[in-house]
Each structure stands twice: as structure tokens, then as C-alpha cells.
Amino acid sequence: MSKLTTGSFSIEDLKDVQITINNIVGAAKEAAEAEELGPMGPSPFPGLATYRDDWNLKLLDRYEPVITPMCDQCCYCTYGPCDLSNNKRGACGIDMAGHNGREFFLRVITGTACHAAHGRHLLDHLLETFGEDVPLDLGQSDVLTPNITITTGQSPKTLGEIKPAMEHAEEQLTQLLATIHAGQESAEIDYDSKALFSGSLDHVGMEISDIVQIAALDFPKADPEAPLIEMGIGTIDKEKPFLCVIGHNVAGVTYMMDYMEENELTDKVELGGLCCTAIDLTRYKEADRRPPYTKVVGSMSKELKIIRSGMPDVIVVDEQCVRGDIVPEAQKLNIPVIASNAKIMYGLPNRDNQDVDATIEELKSGAIPGCVILDYEKLGEISVRLAQEMHPIREAAGVREIPSDEQMKEWVDKCADCGACYLACPIELDIPEAMKFAKEGDYSYLEELHDACIGCRRCEQVCKKEIPILSVIEKASQKIIAEEKGWMRAGRGQVSDAEIRSEGLNLVMGTTPGIIAIIGCPNYSDCAKGVYYIAEEFLKRNYIVVGTGCGSMDMGMYKDENGETLYERFPGGFVSGGLVNIGSCVSNAHITGAAQKVAGIFGGRTMEGNLAEIADYVLNRVGACGLAWGAFSQKASSIGTGCNIYGIPAVLGAHSSKYRRALIAKDYDESKWKVYDARNGEEMPIPPAPEFLLTTAETWQEATPMMAKACIRPSDNNLGRSIKLTHWMELHDKYIGGLPEDWWKFIRSEADIPLAKRAALMKKLEEEQGWEIDWKRKKIISGPKIKFDVSAQPTNLKRLCKEA
Amino acid sequence: MVDTTKNTKLFTSYGVTTSKAINPDMAAKMIKKAKRPLLVVGSGILKPELLDRAVKIAQKANLPIAATGHSHVGFLDKDVDAKYINVHQLGFYLTDPNWPGIDGNGNYDMVIVLEFKKYYINQVLSGTKNFSNLKAISIGRDYIQNATMSFGNISREDHYVALDELIENL
């Protein structure tokens, strides 16, 4: 490692010469390591094997990798393709389980790289723009960077001090990527251990991305009253030029907003977007809660739909969840596309070095379908001016409206009822049936498909009659699209220390039944309203519901009978019954951060370099469960895996079975359901919950009780256990029907039993389980396999036990 | 008789192995031959036409039902042995010879799957296909590649007829 350190020096005799060394690899980390440090855990700056034996293999012993391959073959190298069916080994020696472990791991490191690269881009851009000394003002918190602190042992206080954590994530990602190469790691369990490690790094990358933008771009800072933002396709004013942004990186958009403000255009141009860039543009300069003028169109599933509507006059893309067909789709409707990030350049010509007027003219004339502009000053001016100039041109050309009624009829009449669209549709929409009714003039069946349709256009790809089926569905849905208007709270940033202190006791004691994190993408297997129903159910039951990204958007798209969205009905604070929109996808780091803070601030565990102990605390004491109902991208796999290593289980939608692996425990194997009591090192039996770290559910009705059950923890006190069991059993009865089969396994004493049905349930314990009950004292005399001891200290780490 | 073996176009390819397309009478024969079969139903079963047929299949062949998703609500007032389990969890447990089953009497040698999203059940069965000797028969309206045997892709109307023929042959 280099001995050079970051800094600058001048040569006295040559007054005008200055040599600046900004970035010697490893130098920042060395400088950070040389600092005086306080309490430190055993794993600062971890490598590939650091967490393996101490934590990951312990997790994976109980939560076993469940392999569901996407293919019988391995096509990695020129030895193959090899048939690995029935867990055979291929020509290189890897077996089916190992190959699929590698496949899942590859998804996780891809997602981690996306967030880390996003963080690096933003960090470098903001350092260059604002300098190293910008303080990390993130709200009322002393613990500013829980993920960075747990991973590196460092607690950066300025933008410049973040660099060691950034370098560490990048260095370890390179090491992880190397294990994909043929002839490297082949053991499935080790790929899973590495995936978990990558997940922890992912939350470092996300944390960096979000805290630098909160600090430098004046985003809301742990603000429960962050402004409400207009949302939905129906909120876009068609009379104005519409500048539409798509992606995840807000850096370029801030220049558009600055240009609009400087030129007094905020009420003359519609600026709105999709995916996380859209969420983050509503956070820009919102720390003082100024009136918002930008809008959120919706989630990724609306990308093609908004383009097909013809409404955008210019589209600007940045990075990550951006469709690959935006240029050809936009070109059909004369919408110029500007690529503003080097990760997506679409084969377009670069116009960074060309005069602004000349570029506008080139795009306006249609000489080129779009261009790359990486110079943000130019991007800000060109995109806004171009939208203004394209608007009348496109109006005159008649391309700002969806297809005519005549065109629609022509398309519908072409349908040959072959059924190929049904077979190809990932969510099995009955398009043939809807088309059959449409031919008879009834478009209501097509309209019903709109909300469930994820806008992927696989139906169009297989249609032999070349019917633009997505456009047909959207044309039929004009009325409901016009009414697609919701409200979402602008992303508020991390949970403050004060909120943790105030709510931590309730969470640990179980009187706040749990934290439900609704995150993820929009490719739901049922309808988008599923996340709304789930959120409402838990909010009404006083769980804390936190959200990010597309999940946060979709929760705000539906209204109750009074016309109010969830964001209007429930408070934005981290409190019982609070709906906390944390922010965009990268804000997911603040969700793990909240659980980590409970362990650090409330539980008093050292955070610095101490992942295993923090995760152990969360797994045993913090009732939290994630829901990624439409987990689609590789980033979703890394976010979920990052939650898993920290002991937070996640339920995914049915599509996510395509990730190829889950982590599920055997609820019938009693040897898996034991922990140590840290007071004396004795083994203590625990109930089978959470019974998974990562799994899928078939319907939102199934997911709801699964999540309530997953909030049960070994350390629950009697009151907390009773409350959690009440919610789980009520939800099971409501959505699945009857009592859960295994409810009795969670009972340690009569005080655990839900109060409202205590006598009836005790009767069942006596009759069905053979437990002894003293009916005079209403006490359980014998029966439970698990005991309750209020001072027990459950842990999975033998080294934390006093007599270890 | 409805020919349920014709259209075996794949939703998406899972590689080398494809399930054998079968007709209802053959499916009935296989189910009758199984030593310890389990009927596994997804939430799509809650349509009345399908629910009634699932009940008849369970009753006639004396099959216990693993009711996945939220399908269990449909069986509450029916005279069948239906228990809730998550299908991903079930798929994992089916690969473990030591799993006591949903009734405590041991693992199964055959599952008969009905009314799932095709991509979801294909994923679950890709686990059992590669990591166990379990036989899986799909009697839904979609061709399920990762089952051992499956109906082909058929219309909803033909599916009802096929299920009726299956019931008749049980």
C-alpha cells in the first residue's frame, strides 16, 4: 500500500507551481486508520472472509440457501454449455448448486456496484462542486453513518472524510467480482457468504450516495414534515412543455432546476420524472420546505406508458433502472433523448464540446434522435430550452396525443385471437379475452389490465399481427390515467437519533409491533394496489411503515373513500402508525441504519467495525421485516441481501423466485431454533421466527400475515409477544383463514397469549397439545418447550457469553 | 376426450429438460399409483369453477391439500384436509427426506400442482426437479416445463373439461 497521503504542498522557490495529489489508492484509508479511534469491534475494513465464520455461516446454518435454478445449463465458459440438471457437475467441476449460488451472487454484486458507482459519481461531483469540507448535516443525529461506521469503524463528518469508505467498497467489489471467474470459488455456501458480504457493502454505497446529496444539495434532513409532492401521470399539465427525467442519479437534474429558477420558468415548464431521480428531484433544496413545483410521474412500469402517451417533449436519462428501448420508442413520437451519464450512452453522439444553440438546433430538427451531454451546465440549459422549443413543434405534428379512436379500432380488429400474448405476458394478463370484448366495442376489460400491466411489451414482441398491445391497453385506459393523481411525501432522509431513542424501547419491548419496510420495484404479480393494502393494514395496526423508491410511490397512488392518500392520513415520523418515506432507492441504507441505530444507540452495542454483534442484536431483538413486492432489478437483490446479513428478513413478490435462491429455515428442525443466553452461555430454545430471511409470497394476502409473523423475536417480553401474536393471528385468520397451525410454538406462558382470546386458546393448548392448565389461577403449569426469562440475553455469538 | 398434450410451447426455456405432456386419464393413473401424493393448489383456485373441481379431486383420490398463497380461505367450509403452507417453503421442504410433511407422517413422493402463475411454479419445481426424486404433475391450464408431467397450454374451457375427465378417472 502506498505511503503517500492525500494533501497538497508548494515549492517555496517556485511560487506559481502547486502539485496536488488527490487520489493515491489506499492513502485515504491509511490516513483514516492512523486516526485516534474509540471503541472498535473485531472487523473494521472487512475482506472476503472476515464475516464468514463469525457470522455468515451461522446465519446460513439456520437460514439455508434454497436453490431454484432458472436453467438446467451453465453457459459461462467455452468448456460448456454443460447440463447441470439433477445437481450434476459441469466440465469445470462446478455443480448445479454452486453455479446457481454464483448466479445469485452475481446479481448481488451487480446491484452493489450500481449503488457504489452511483455513490462514487455523486461524491466526486459534489466534492468538485462544493469542496471537501461540506459538513454531513443530516438532521438531529450523532450517528450519521451507521453502515459506514459498522463497516469501516470510521464516522466521517464531512464529504472529504467519506473517501476511505468509498475506496473500501470499491476495493472489495473488485475482489468479489474476481470470484465469478471460472475456476474460482465453487461452493454454494461460500458464494452465499460472499453475497451477504456484498450486501453489507451495498448499504455502504447507498449510504454514501444519499448522505452526500442530503448534505450538499439541501435535501430534507430527517424531516417528518417533508413536503407532499403531486404524483401520477394525471398531474402532468399537457398545455406546458414537459421535460421528463428518468433514472436514479439526481446530479444532472439539479442543473435543470437551477436553470428554470434562474430564468423564472418554474411555472412555465413541467418538470417531472420516473424512478428515483424523480423522488430525488422533489428533495432538492427542500430542507426549508419551499413549495414544490416538480412532479413524480411514477415508477419504472410507467416508463414506456408515458412515452407512448406522447406527452414528454424531451426525455433526459441518467443511470440504472432505465429501459434500453427509450431512444427508438421516443423517436417514433419525435421526442429527443439526452443521455446524461456515462453509464448509459445509447450509442448517441456526444455534444459536450458543441455550442448550445447548435445542439438544440440539431436535436430540434431531428437530425439526430438524441445526444450525450455530460457537461451539466450545458445539460441544464439545453434540456429546458429544448423542451420549450419542441412543445409547439410536436403539438403541430400531432404527436402529443395518444392514438385516435379510428386507429384503436383498426388495431383491435386485427387481433387473430392466437393467445401468444397471454403465453408471453409475465403476469399472465388475459389479453386475448380483453381483445375479444374490445372487438365487440367493450373496452372495459382492456381498461382493467392497465393497473396490473408492468409495461414490459413482451406481448407486442410475440404478436404476429404487430398490434401495439401496450398502446391499445393505454388508449382504453385514458379515463383512469387522467385520474391517476396521488400524493407522496418527499423523501425525508434518515431516522434521527432522537426518534430512535423515543421509539427504541417500544420496538425492543414489542409494544410497537414492528417495522415494515415497503421497498422495491413495480413488477408486482397482482396489482399495484397490493402494496397500498399491505401498508394500510400495518399502519392501522400501529406498525411503523417505512418506504423507499417505487414502493413509496405506489403507496401514495391510491385513495380511501374520503379521497385521501396514506401520506395524508398517517404522520411522517418514525413513530407507531407512522408512514415514513425515507427517500429514493439509495435511501434504503437508512432503513438498515435505523435497525443498526436501535442496536447501537438503544442497545448500547459498539457500532465501529462490529457487524456481527449489531446484526445479532437486530436478529434477536428488533422486529423488522422488509417487503419488496415487485423486486425486479439486481439492485433489489443486493438491498435485500444487505438487510439479510443484518438479521432483517424480507418477503418478495412471486417474480423474485427468479433470483434463484431464497434463505428459508426448517421450522420443524428443533436443532436450528436455539440461541445462547449471554449471561452464562447456556443454550436456550426459541420459537421458529423469523422462519426465513428471504422468501417469496404468492399474493399480497399471503404476504401480510407472513410479515407480521416475521416481526416476532426471541427477546420479546410477554406484552410484546402477546401483541405481536395478536396481529399475526388476526391477519392469518383474515387472509388465510383460521388459526395458524404453529401458533402454540410461540407460547412461553399464559401472559404471551393474546388477551382477547386467552381462555379459548388455553383450552386449545390443553385439548390439542396436552398442556397442563391450572384453571383456578388461569396459569399454564407445563407444556411449553421454550421458557421466558425477562433477563435472558439471546445471542447467536458464543464469544459474547460470559462463560465462553 | 380433450387432448391436453398438443400445445407444449414454453413460456420461457429452462434449458435441457422438459416435462412429458399427458392427458387427464394418464394423470389420473399416475396419481392413483402414487404412494404418498399431495395436491398443491395456488390462489388461482379461488374461482368457484376451479375450487369445486379441486375439492372433488381431493375427495375422490383422498388427497391432502397444501393450500398455498391465500387459497386456504376457499377450503374452510369444505370437507377436505387442507393446510396452509407457503409454496417456496414447501418446495424447499420437499427436497428434504426428513421433512415430516404437513401432517407429520413424512415426506411425499408426488405433488399434483394446480392454479399457479406459471413462472412461479416453474421456479419452485426447478428446485425439486434438480435436488430430489419427487414426481410433479401439473394439471393447470399452462404447460409447466419443470414438472415431471404436465397438461399442455389449453383454453380455460378445455381446462374445465380436462379436470372433469381427470376426476372421472380417479
Side-chain angles (χ1 to χ4, degrees):
Chain A
M1 191 176 288
S2 168
K3 295 292 177 193
L4 288 169
T5 56
T6 304
S8 63
F9 65 92
S10 300
I11 300 169
E12 279 180 16
D13 297 337
L14 298 167
K15 284 181 184 173
D16 296 331
V17 176
Q18 186 174 52
I19 302 168
T20 303
I21 302 170
N22 279 323
N23 233 347
I24 301 295
V25 172
K29 181 180 163 186
E30 260 188 37
E33 284 173 332
E35 281 177 22
E36 275 296 316
L37 300 171
M40 181 63 69
S43 55
F45 291 105
L48 302 190
T50 307
Y51 300 144
R52 180 185 189 267
D53 300 323
D54 192 34
W55 182 243
N56 291 351
L57 294 190
K58 289 187 175 70
L59 269 187
L60 296 169
D61 178 58
R62 185 191 296 165
Y63 300 102
E64 295 182 44
V66 178
I67 308 298
T68 54
M70 276 288 279
C71 180
D72 300 336
Q73 292 176 295
C74 173
C75 309
Y76 255 54
C77 73
T78 56
Y79 277 0
C82 293
D83 174 14
L84 305 182
S85 58
N86 296 314
N87 204 24
K88 287 198 284 282
R89 290 189 185 274
C92 75
I94 201 165
D95 63 10
M96 177 64 111
H99 173 60
N100 278 272
R102 177 170 62 179
E103 288 275 15
F104 176 74
F105 167 73
L106 182 57
R107 270 86 198 150
V108 175
I109 61 171
T110 304
T112 305
C114 278
H115 290 135
H118 183 169
R120 169 58 79 182
H121 179 272
L122 272 177
L123 179 63
D124 286 351
H125 170 66
L126 296 174
L127 283 171
E128 189 182 327
T129 310
F130 298 102
E132 299 214 349
D133 298 329
V134 175
L136 291 183
D137 175 10
L138 308 174
Q140 294 179 332
S141 289
D142 292 324
V143 182
L144 298 172
T145 58
N147 279 286
I148 292 174
T149 302
I150 290 167
T151 302
T152 67
Q154 307 299 307
S155 296
K157 297 287 188 285
T158 63
L159 285 191
E161 290 175 13
I162 289 172
K163 287 191 285 188
M166 190 74 257
E167 280 184 10
H168 175 68
E170 291 165 336
E171 179 191 346
Q172 293 308 315
L173 263 169
T174 311
Q175 299 294 337
L176 287 165
L177 182 59
T179 71
I180 292 289
H181 181 266
Q184 304 278 318
E185 182 64 76
S186 64
E188 193 285 330
I189 200 76
D190 267 306
Y191 270 126
D192 259 317
S193 174
K194 290 178 170 74
L196 288 168
F197 174 45
S198 180
S200 73
L201 295 173
D202 185 51
H203 287 245
V204 173
M206 289 194 293
E207 192 168 270
I208 292 170
S209 302
D210 210 41
I211 62 176
V212 299
Q213 58 186 8
I214 289 171
L217 301 177
D218 214 12
F219 282 16
K221 302 174 194 304
D223 183 359
E225 305 289 336
L228 287 169
I229 306 296
E230 275 192 280
M231 199 177 65
I233 296 180
T235 65
I236 300 299
D237 184 348
K238 290 183 181 177
E239 302 306 314
K240 294 179 186 173
F242 175 26
L243 173 53
C244 182
V245 297
I246 303 174
H248 278 249
N249 189 330
V250 80
V253 179
T254 61
Y255 288 77
M256 300 173 200
M257 294 176 74
D258 290 344
Y259 182 85
M260 286 171 65
E261 286 163 23
E262 284 158 17
N263 293 278
E264 297 181 348
L265 294 169
T266 56
D267 60 347
K268 295 184 179 65
V269 175
E270 282 284 72
L271 175 61
L274 299 98
C275 289
C276 288
T277 295
I279 294 184
D280 283 343
L281 68 84
T282 69
R283 301 165 82 190
Y284 182 48
K285 293 182 184 169
E286 288 285 2
D288 60 354
R289 302 177 190 159
R290 65 178 183 168
Y293 61 89
T294 59
K295 291 170 181 171
V296 173
V297 173
S299 62
M300 187 189 181
S301 67
K302 312 281 187 197
E303 278 183 26
L304 209 46
K305 294 179 181 181
I306 192 76
I307 296 171
R308 292 280 180 94
S309 78
M311 286 159 66
D313 290 302
V314 174
I315 293 172
V316 177
V317 301
D318 49 82
E319 61 171 295
Q320 296 169 44
C321 298
V322 184
R323 290 186 62 92
D325 56 359
I326 282 182
V327 173
E329 285 284 343
Q331 205 173 359
K332 288 178 202 163
L333 293 165
N334 200 15
I335 307 169
V337 177
I338 301 175
S340 67
N341 188 299
K343 294 191 194 76
I344 302 176
M345 300 171 90
Y346 281 145
L348 296 169
N350 190 328
R351 290 294 180 259
D352 271 332
N353 296 321
Q354 183 171 280
D355 172 69
V356 167
D357 290 328
T359 304
I360 289 176
E361 199 51 48
E362 204 179 6
L363 291 165
K364 205 171 81 176
S365 68
I368 52 174
C371 67
V372 174
I373 300 177
L374 304 177
D375 177 333
Y376 289 159
E377 292 286 353
K378 281 187 175 172
L379 175 71
E381 181 180 352
I382 288 172
S383 58
V384 177
R385 281 181 52 193
L386 186 63
Q388 289 176 290
E389 298 204 28
M390 288 305 297
H391 182 68
I393 294 171
R394 297 183 66 255
E395 283 251 309
V399 288
R400 285 195 97 250
E401 289 296 331
I402 49 182
S404 65
D405 293 344
E406 292 74 29
Q407 178 70 78
M408 174 74 163
K409 190 170 181 327
E410 197 181 309
W411 285 338
V412 167
D413 288 344
K414 273 169 71 176
C415 175
D417 195 25
C418 70
C421 49
Y422 165 75
L423 197 58
C425 176
I427 49 175
E428 301 177 27
L429 296 179
D430 201 339
I431 301 165
E433 183 188 54
M435 290 293 262
K436 194 174 80 182
F437 283 101
K439 278 184 196 171
E440 295 162 9
D442 180 357
Y443 287 179
S444 63
Y445 286 76
L446 281 170
E447 190 183 60
E448 278 176 25
L449 303 183
H450 165 74
D451 193 43
C453 170
I454 57 175
C456 69
R457 67 175 290 277
R458 271 177 65 170
C459 49
E460 294 182 4
Q461 290 162 353
V462 296
C463 181
K464 290 192 173 70
K465 298 286 183 182
E466 297 183 351
I467 302 169
I469 298 169
L470 180 63
S471 298
V472 167
I473 294 170
E474 297 310 291
K475 168 71 179 173
S477 315
Q478 282 177 91
K479 189 167 171 289
I480 53 173
I481 290 170
E483 289 165 3
E484 264 188 3
K485 296 176 182 176
W487 289 99
M488 183 190 75
R489 201 172 289 287
R492 50 156 280 166
Q494 65 173 214
V495 178
S496 70
D497 293 5
E499 287 174 300
I500 295 292
R501 286 197 182 91
S502 135
E503 194 57 44
L505 182 63
N506 295 332
L507 280 167
V508 172
M509 300 296 275
T511 46
T512 293
I515 304 168
I516 298 293
I518 297 181
I519 67 166
C521 322
N523 63 328
Y524 310 119
S525 54
D526 39 22
C527 67
K529 208 170 183 180
V531 289
Y532 169 83
Y533 290 136
I534 294 170
E536 186 184 41
E537 185 71 81
F538 282 111
L539 286 166
K540 287 197 294 197
R541 290 172 179 272
N542 280 332
Y543 287 73
I544 301 171
V545 176
V546 300
T548 59
C550 293
S552 276
M553 294 181 198
D554 284 330
M555 277 192 279
M557 277 310 300
Y558 301 92
K559 295 169 183 164
D560 67 359
E561 62 278 8
N562 300 318
E564 285 191 319
T565 62
L566 293 175
Y567 289 102
E568 295 162 283
R569 289 165 59 193
F570 295 94
F574 190 77
V575 292
S576 278
L579 175 56
V580 191
N581 181 24
I582 301 279
S584 57
C585 277
V586 291
S587 308
N588 279 308
H590 305 318
I591 296 179
T592 44
Q596 293 155 358
K597 282 187 178 192
V598 174
I601 298 170
F602 193 81
R605 293 222 171 157
T606 300
M607 297 184 82
E608 288 80 359
N610 202 16
L611 180 138
E613 290 182 31
I614 294 291
D616 179 60
Y617 186 95
V618 173
L619 180 64
N620 285 304
R621 293 176 184 272
V622 183
C625 183
L627 174 80
W629 195 229
F632 146 74
S633 75
Q634 292 80 11
K635 294 190 303 160
S637 69
S638 60
I639 294 167
T641 307
C643 290
N644 291 166
I645 192 173
Y646 281 106
I648 303 170
V651 176
L652 311 177
H655 280 295
S656 303
S657 56
K658 297 172 205 164
Y659 282 138
R660 303 165 175 83
R661 92 100 166 88
L663 295 173
I664 301 175
K666 289 172 176 164
D667 58 7
Y668 51 90
D669 184 350
E670 288 179 9
S671 69
K672 305 288 184 189
W673 300 103
K674 286 176 184 164
V675 294
Y676 301 109
D677 184 343
R679 293 174 306 177
N680 51 23
E682 285 179 5
E683 278 191 336
M684 52 183 279
I686 56 169
E691 60 190 348
F692 56 83
L693 280 181
L694 197 77
T695 192
T696 58
E698 199 175 311
T699 61
W700 69 265
Q701 293 94 329
E702 182 187 23
T704 309
M706 278 172 79
M707 287 188 289
K709 186 180 183 184
C711 287
I712 297 173
R713 290 293 184 277
S715 71
D716 295 336
N717 67 359
N718 292 131
L719 177 63
R721 179 65 58 88
S722 168
I723 292 169
K724 290 180 182 184
L725 286 178
T726 300
H727 291 300
W728 168 43
M729 291 163 77
E730 282 181 5
L731 289 167
H732 187 94
D733 186 38
K734 182 174 178 180
Y735 293 115
I736 307 292
L739 276 177
E741 292 278 327
D742 55 347
W743 69 274
W744 56 274
K745 291 184 180 175
F746 297 84
I747 306 300
R748 302 163 297 189
S749 75
E750 59 285 342
D752 282 344
I753 303 175
L755 195 56
K757 294 183 177 174
R758 191 164 287 173
L761 291 171
M762 284 172 79
K763 192 84 185 151
K764 278 185 172 293
L765 289 172
E766 187 177 52
E767 289 172 355
E768 294 171 14
Q769 304 301 329
W771 291 14
E772 273 186 275
I773 311 285
D774 178 343
W775 286 104
K776 274 189 189 164
R777 292 191 298 151
K778 292 181 181 161
K779 283 185 81 69
I780 294 171
I781 305 299
S782 69
K785 285 188 178 171
I786 50 172
K787 306 292 178 199
F788 178 64
D789 179 347
V790 72
S791 52
Q793 295 171 24
T795 178
N796 296 79
L797 298 167
K798 186 83 175 169
R799 64 180 161 81
L800 292 186
C801 300
K802 282 192 180 137
E803 294 173 19
Chain B
M1 190 178 80
V2 176
D3 185 351
T4 53
T5 65
K6 271 185 178 170
N7 182 359
T8 55
K9 185 174 177 185
L10 303 176
F11 162 63
T12 186
S13 171
Y14 281 78
V16 181
T17 318
T18 56
S19 61
K20 180 176 163 54
I22 49 165
N23 277 314
D25 56 342
M26 177 60 80
K29 205 174 280 180
M30 296 299 295
I31 294 167
K32 284 198 287 187
K33 258 177 67 180
K35 287 185 182 137
R36 193 160 154 72
L38 176 69
L39 177 60
V40 184
V41 295
S43 299
I45 204 73
L46 293 172
K47 295 183 196 87
E49 300 90 338
L50 289 162
L51 189 61
D52 286 351
R53 288 174 169 92
V55 168
K56 281 179 190 157
I57 292 168
Q59 287 173 337
K60 194 149 184 210
N62 196 25
L63 296 173
I65 298 175
T68 71
H70 69 290
S71 66
H72 186 253
V73 287
F75 297 104
L76 289 175
D77 57 347
K78 307 286 190 296
D79 185 22
V80 289
D81 176 17
K83 287 191 174 140
Y84 161 73
I85 187 168
N86 168 269
V87 76
H88 209 142
Q89 188 179 23
L90 172 67
F92 173 43
Y93 292 175
L94 284 165
T95 64
D96 178 6
N98 297 317
W99 182 42
I102 54 175
D103 57 2
N105 293 326
N107 210 329
Y108 303 87
D109 65 339
M110 176 187 285
V111 290
I112 303 104
V113 299
L114 178 61
E115 287 312 305
F116 286 92
K117 298 278 186 189
K118 51 186 176 274
Y119 63 84
Y120 194 27
I121 198 64
N122 258 323
Q123 279 306 120
V124 170
L125 294 180
S126 78
T128 58
K129 182 175 89 170
N130 283 293
F131 302 106
S132 77
N133 295 318
L134 181 82
K135 279 197 170 55
I137 299 184
S138 173
I139 55 170
R141 63 172 287 211
D142 303 304
Y143 179 63
I144 302 301
Q145 180 180 350
N146 285 336
T148 319
M149 283 168 267
S150 172
F151 287 173
N153 298 300
I154 48 180
S155 70
R156 192 173 293 165
E157 292 72 26
D158 281 352
H159 186 217
Y160 295 154
V161 177
L163 289 178
D164 289 340
E165 286 174 8
L166 173 80
I167 293 163
E168 208 174 294
N169 282 282
L170 281 173

